[in-house]
Amino acid sequence: MTNSEGSTQSPDHHRPSYHFLPAANWMNDPNGVIQWQGRYHLFYQYNPDGAWHANMHWGHAVSDDLAHWRELPVAIAPTPDSPDQGGIFSGCVVDKDGTPVAVYTGVNDDYSVQTQCLALGNDDLTQWQKHPRNPVVGDVPAHLGQSRDFRDPFVWREGGSWYMSLSSHIAGVGGAVLLYRSADLVDWEYLHPLYVGDRARQGRNFECANFFRLGDKWVMIISVQWDQVPTNTIYLVGRLEEGRFIPETEGVYDAGYSYASLMHFDESGRPLIYSWIREGRGADQQRAAGWSGVQAIPRVLSLDSRNRLLSQPVPEIEKLRRTRHRFAPADIVAGDLPVRGLALDIEAQFDVSAAATCGIELAVAPDGEEKVAIVYERETGTLRIYRHYRREDSDVDSAPQGLAHRPDAGETLHLRILLDGSVLEVIADGRSRVTSRIYPSSAENQGIRLVAPTALRALDIWEMASIW
Ligand code: DQQ
């Protein structure tokens, strides 16, 4: 099994088989997602030296169907003695009159200087020329009171101008998304903050902000750094008045390991979002595995009638579904199901009025001692994930995860669950998302059990094909 020329995947049951990750080494944020001449391109933060965060390059993968990906050689590398000599941090790719232009953050060796740079791509987006005017944005606005966090350009076109948001913070105040304008992507004028967060409620610093229209609303998705570390992803829905974003509703995009999301509109106009799924185990274990970081399955975004942000895995991944196991409530007499697997796509519906706690357990060990439970707790209105390991390992995160959620009146709880080795993506009713990581101690942990089978209304489980 190869996913790039000559590289072989290890028989490692934690390694996903239908999510994209490079053959080896470290990967984090998705960058520059674009559909170009019909083909989907995914760039991503990549360290060619190993499974730790350093020496950032833009890795590159392509897909014709959003289900199968092919890893290509590194697309953009740091240039010595230039503004990006310490790394090519996150950014986007836009189509400027037929030329692909990457807009990214270049950093110095200790990341204390962050500037915005351009690279121009060739026809198949494999060769990139740095712009001679780099950096195109070098000065950090003085009113921020800090200059270390100033990155992650997100660029869009509106009314004949290019606009760019940068993610940052105002010292002592909170995260900030800064708005810039340009006629040509080279000369940029700083306008003002597009949005300023509240430090107590929304964290110290913003990263990887996305800003886009969905119907008659504007949506902002922000990755939040509470302290110095990635925390979670939030979204805001609202309106734009005189170049300032006025949020009307706010929610959590993902309460788990999903981070640094990046959206684009594909050639059919679908708003698609990609996310980095972080690891939940320590740095030594990541190095030993030889890989770190996974891309979430791309999702289609929409808003519901209450302006809550919905996201569903792209329908294209349904082509990876193989054997289907369908259970009607009458079929289920006990919790244990006659299906096993660590690469599954699950759709389940529950009547939450029928039990105080309902849900499903996956990756159950033959003796039941290890498992992950995805449950809905009615009393508190919480979607929870509990990870049970035979032995506590302080280097493997096993803290309970959770997110407030209530089915709307008359709605059964619909869970969409993507399990793939150590990756677990959970979406409740399209609008509440918790991504998890699990590291079963044995490849034999493949059992599936229902929690409160009487609450089950419908269940489909598909075994998923590998994409490699
Ligand atoms: N990762 C990048 C930054 C970004 C952060 C560096 C978010 O550009 O702010 O790898 O994970």
Side-chain angles (χ1 to χ4, degrees):
M1 286 187 296
T2 61
N3 65 346
S4 87
E5 280 165 46
S7 24
T8 307
Q9 282 195 57
S10 55
D12 167 355
H13 66 281
H14 297 139
R15 189 177 170 96
S17 62
Y18 69 94
H19 283 70
F20 174 75
L21 71 167
N25 304 329
W26 169 279
M27 178 190 64
N28 58 300
D29 316 354
N31 299 145
V33 290
I34 192 166
Q35 191 179 12
W36 189 264
Q37 296 170 359
R39 176 167 282 178
Y40 290 93
H41 291 256
L42 167 68
F43 302 89
Y44 47 89
Q45 294 285 281
Y46 177 65
N47 176 8
D49 300 333
W52 58 92
H53 184 279
N55 192 21
M56 284 296 113
H57 290 53
W58 274 25
H60 188 190
V62 289
S63 175
D64 291 321
D65 63 2
L66 282 180
H68 299 86
W69 291 92
R70 189 159 55 94
E71 186 183 354
L72 297 179
V74 157
I76 310 182
T79 301
D81 302 318
S82 87
D84 64 30
Q85 72 168 30
I88 313 291
F89 272 18
S90 290
C92 58
V93 169
V94 292
D95 177 352
K96 188 187 180 212
D97 306 322
T99 300
V101 180
V103 191
Y104 63 92
T105 301
V107 295
N108 69 340
D109 292 343
D110 68 358
Y111 309 160
S112 61
V113 181
Q114 309 193 344
T115 59
Q116 318 316 318
C117 301
L118 304 179
L120 309 187
N122 66 342
D123 239 22
D124 63 3
L125 281 56
T126 55
Q127 306 291 326
W128 295 84
Q129 293 294 329
K130 308 274 174 81
H131 197 282
R133 292 263 308 270
N134 283 346
V136 294
V137 177
D139 295 334
V140 182
H143 75 90
L144 301 182
Q146 60 86 23
S147 59
R148 249 199 115 95
D149 291 313
F150 184 64
R151 56 183 176 269
D152 305 338
F154 181 87
V155 175
W156 69 98
R157 195 155 173 82
E158 183 84 15
S161 294
W162 293 102
Y163 289 88
M164 171 170 73
S165 69
L166 292 179
S167 297
S168 185
H169 71 271
I170 301 177
V173 175
V177 181
L178 311 173
L179 184 63
Y180 287 74
R181 184 173 55 202
S182 172
D184 57 7
L185 296 175
V186 178
D187 286 304
W188 289 95
E189 173 194 8
Y190 174 51
L191 299 177
H192 47 248
L194 180 60
Y195 177 69
V196 178
D198 168 5
R199 188 187 162 110
R201 203 168 56 77
Q202 295 165 316
R204 182 193 70 86
N205 185 51
F206 289 166
E207 298 185 298
C208 300
N210 293 222
F211 190 61
F212 54 99
R213 260 186 218 273
L214 225 41
D216 60 357
K217 293 291 175 193
W218 283 89
V219 178
M220 185 174 276
I221 298 178
I222 305 170
S223 294
V224 173
Q225 265 189 321
W226 269 91
D227 193 8
Q228 300 297 335
V229 290
T231 309
N232 67 349
T233 329
I234 60 172
Y235 74 87
L236 306 105
V237 180
R239 59 189 193 281
L240 190 59
E241 279 181 9
E242 292 168 4
R244 291 176 202 266
F245 178 50
I246 318 285
E248 294 159 356
T249 56
E250 181 175 336
V252 173
Y253 178 70
D254 189 287
Y257 292 77
S258 171
Y259 198 73
S261 298
L262 180 63
M263 69 80 60
H264 74 115
F265 291 95
D266 75 2
E267 287 172 353
S268 69
R270 280 190 307 176
L272 300 180
I273 191 162
Y274 303 66
S275 304
W276 166 39
I277 301 179
R278 298 184 283 120
E279 295 298 317
R281 56 181 172 180
D284 290 346
Q285 294 189 34
Q286 295 174 40
R287 283 182 187 234
W291 59 274
S292 175
V294 178
Q295 282 298 318
I297 296 297
R299 297 184 189 176
V300 185
L301 293 171
S302 60
L303 293 175
D304 71 6
S305 58
R306 291 167 55 184
N307 288 327
R308 295 174 298 193
L309 188 61
L310 307 182
S311 64
Q312 293 291 0
V314 290
E316 284 92 331
I317 67 147
E318 292 167 22
K319 71 159 68 161
L320 302 175
R321 289 172 168 177
R322 292 295 177 267
T323 307
R324 173 193 198 162
H325 305 270
R326 167 162 274 199
F327 299 95
D331 301 336
I332 295 173
V333 286
D336 289 306
L337 298 180
V339 190
R340 290 162 53 76
L342 275 179
L344 304 170
D345 182 355
I346 300 172
E347 294 203 46
Q349 286 187 50
F350 296 92
D351 175 357
V352 300
S353 68
T357 299
C358 59
I360 194 162
E361 295 175 347
L362 301 174
V364 182
D367 65 1
E369 290 270 305
E370 287 195 357
K371 61 189 176 189
V372 56
I374 302 148
V375 292
Y376 182 72
E377 295 173 349
R378 190 180 60 201
E379 197 175 326
T380 55
T382 314
L383 175 67
R384 285 217 173 273
I385 299 180
Y386 295 104
R387 295 165 288 183
H388 301 278
Y389 294 106
R390 196 179 308 276
R391 271 178 293 280
E392 283 301 313
D393 175 346
S394 57
D395 239 15
V396 173
D397 190 4
S398 59
Q401 298 176 268
L403 177 65
H405 177 79
R406 286 207 187 268
D408 290 340
E411 197 180 41
T412 53
L413 173 74
H414 176 273
L415 293 182
R416 177 78 183 269
I417 300 170
L418 302 175
L419 171 66
D420 192 8
S422 55
V423 168
L424 184 61
E425 298 191 62
V426 178
I427 307 172
D429 297 323
R431 60 180 182 269
S432 297
R433 296 153 282 253
V434 185
T435 299
S436 189
R437 297 304 300 267
I438 57 165
Y439 301 93
S441 64
S442 161
E444 291 306 306
N445 292 15
Q446 299 201 8
I448 306 176
R449 300 190 76 249
L450 278 175
V451 179
T454 50
L456 184 78
R457 290 296 166 268
L459 176 62
D460 283 295
I461 301 175
W462 289 268
E463 297 173 29
M464 295 293 273
S466 169
I467 62 171
W468 308 116

